[in-house]
Amino acid sequence: MLEALSKMSILSSNLVPIVRSIREQIPALFKTLVLLLGDRTQQVAREFALVIMSNLSQTGGNEGVEIAHQLANFTQVISLLLKFLEDAEASAANFALNATWRVTARYHLTYPRRNSVGELVSTCCDVLLSL
C-alpha cells in the first residue's frame, strides 16, 4: 500500500483527489508514516513514508496548508526528518568509502547504479520546508 500511494502521489494532478478521498484518515496516516520514518530497521518503508509525506505536503491550495499543519502537529516529525538526513549523510559517506575502495582494489573506476541518497535528502528537505 505504501508503494502504491507513493507512486500515485508523485503526479501533482493526483494529490487533490487523494487528499479529498482520505481527508478523515490523514491524521492516522501521518501517525503511521511518522512511526515508519522513525524505524531505522525498515529502510524501504522509511523511504516510502518520506516520499508520501513530501508529496502530500506539497498539495496545492488550502489542502496543502492543512496537510502541512497536520504533519507539523506531530512533535517528533522534525527530529525524525533530521535523523533521516543524518542517516543519509552517513550512507553517502559509506558509499563514497566503498567506491574509493573499489577504485583502489581494481585500479579503475566502476560506476554503480544511480545513487538515490541525494534525491532522498532533497525530498526530506522539501518536507522540512513545507512545515
Side-chain angles (χ1 to χ4, degrees):
M1 179 154 151
L2 286 173
E3 184 176 4
L5 186 55
S6 177
K7 289 180 178 181
M8 287 179 5
S9 67
I10 289 173
L11 293 175
S12 59
S13 60
N14 290 343
L15 290 176
V16 172
I18 289 171
V19 169
R20 288 183 181 163
S21 65
I22 62 168
R23 185 176 308 274
E24 288 78 30
Q25 291 87 16
I26 287 176
L29 173 65
F30 280 156
K31 180 179 179 181
T32 302
L33 294 176
V34 168
L35 289 173
L36 289 171
L37 188 63
D39 186 359
R40 298 172 75 192
T41 63
Q42 301 292 326
Q43 187 61 28
V44 174
R46 201 174 180 206
E47 291 174 11
F48 279 134
L50 176 66
V51 169
I52 293 167
M53 285 190 286
S54 174
N55 292 342
L56 291 180
S57 66
Q58 294 177 33
T59 303
N62 291 336
E63 280 114 354
V65 173
E66 182 181 331
I67 294 279
H69 284 298
Q70 288 183 24
L71 185 55
N73 285 335
F74 289 94
T75 56
Q76 295 179 326
V77 73
I78 293 176
S79 63
L80 289 173
L81 289 167
L82 293 174
K83 186 62 179 165
F84 185 91
L85 287 173
E86 291 171 355
D87 292 345
E89 180 184 24
S91 175
N94 188 32
F95 175 79
L97 180 66
N98 288 337
T100 302
W101 180 82
R102 279 194 298 264
V103 169
T104 305
R106 296 184 184 169
Y107 301 104
H108 68 281
L109 181 61
T110 58
Y111 294 97
R113 67 182 181 92
R114 187 174 173 202
N115 184 5
S116 64
V117 172
E119 293 172 6
L120 291 171
V121 168
S122 176
T123 302
C124 189
C125 290
D126 288 341
V127 175
L128 285 168
L129 287 173
S130 71
L131 298 178

